[in-house]
Amino acid sequence: MADDGIIGLGGDDGFIGTGGNDGFITLDGVEKVFEVRRRAGLLRRERHEVRAVDGISFRVARGEMVGYIGPNGAGKSTTIKMLTGILTPSGGRLRVAGIDPSRERTRLAHRIGVVFGQRMRSRSSGTAPSLPLGSAPQ
């Protein structure tokens, strides 16, 4: 089950962007690497690196609306988590509203909103339940 992230930024609530051509959201060569341990026998484990985000760079201007889409496992949720300060990048630089999310997560949390959702799946069929418009689940 993939989670889709929605991030709400801006509005008339006193945001101060980074100004100039830097963008309201700026990522420069951002990467995230996780260390995973796998069994390599009864008592031995091997360490492997999993690169979830590999050197992405982009800018989003203040007031600009964007969609962040890609296949499962592409690093979308990991990127959103780094933009909100939930995860710290392994490398690169990122800013949201002129704030480094990994250093000032609480300050940033007062300025943005993020909703992570899970798609519902029916237990029996493994697919999302379908309801006619206007119907309530029972």
Side-chain angles (χ1 to χ4, degrees):
M1 285 188 236
D3 51 13
D4 299 312
I6 300 171
I7 186 166
L9 300 164
D12 296 328
D13 53 357
F15 276 116
I16 300 172
T18 55
N21 294 326
D22 290 338
F24 189 74
I25 300 174
T26 305
L27 289 87
D28 289 314
V30 173
E31 42 187 58
K32 181 63 180 176
V33 179
F34 293 97
E35 189 174 286
V36 179
R37 294 181 185 174
R38 294 184 186 158
R39 282 191 179 172
L42 288 175
L43 300 173
R44 226 181 68 176
R45 292 181 183 257
E46 292 180 347
R47 293 180 182 179
H48 295 277
E49 284 189 350
V50 175
R51 189 168 295 274
V53 176
D54 191 12
I56 62 171
S57 299
F58 64 85
R59 293 180 183 5
V60 179
R62 182 181 170 90
E64 185 177 10
M65 294 179 71
V66 296
Y68 196 47
I69 60 173
N72 290 345
K76 300 175 303 292
S77 294
T78 302
T79 303
I80 298 296
K81 289 175 183 176
M82 288 189 289
L83 287 170
T84 60
I86 294 170
L87 290 175
T88 302
S90 304
R93 182 174 183 265
L94 65 100
R95 293 266 190 229
V96 178
I99 298 170
D100 180 343
S102 61
R103 292 192 175 141
E104 298 184 80
R105 181 178 176 197
T106 305
R107 181 175 164 216
L108 183 62
H110 289 284
R111 303 193 185 290
I112 66 170
V114 177
V115 177
F116 283 96
Q118 293 288 329
R119 293 188 195 132
M120 289 180 47
R121 292 184 181 252
S122 169
R123 289 183 187 158
S124 59
S125 68
T127 60
S130 59
L131 295 171
L133 233 56
S135 297
Q138 297 179 9

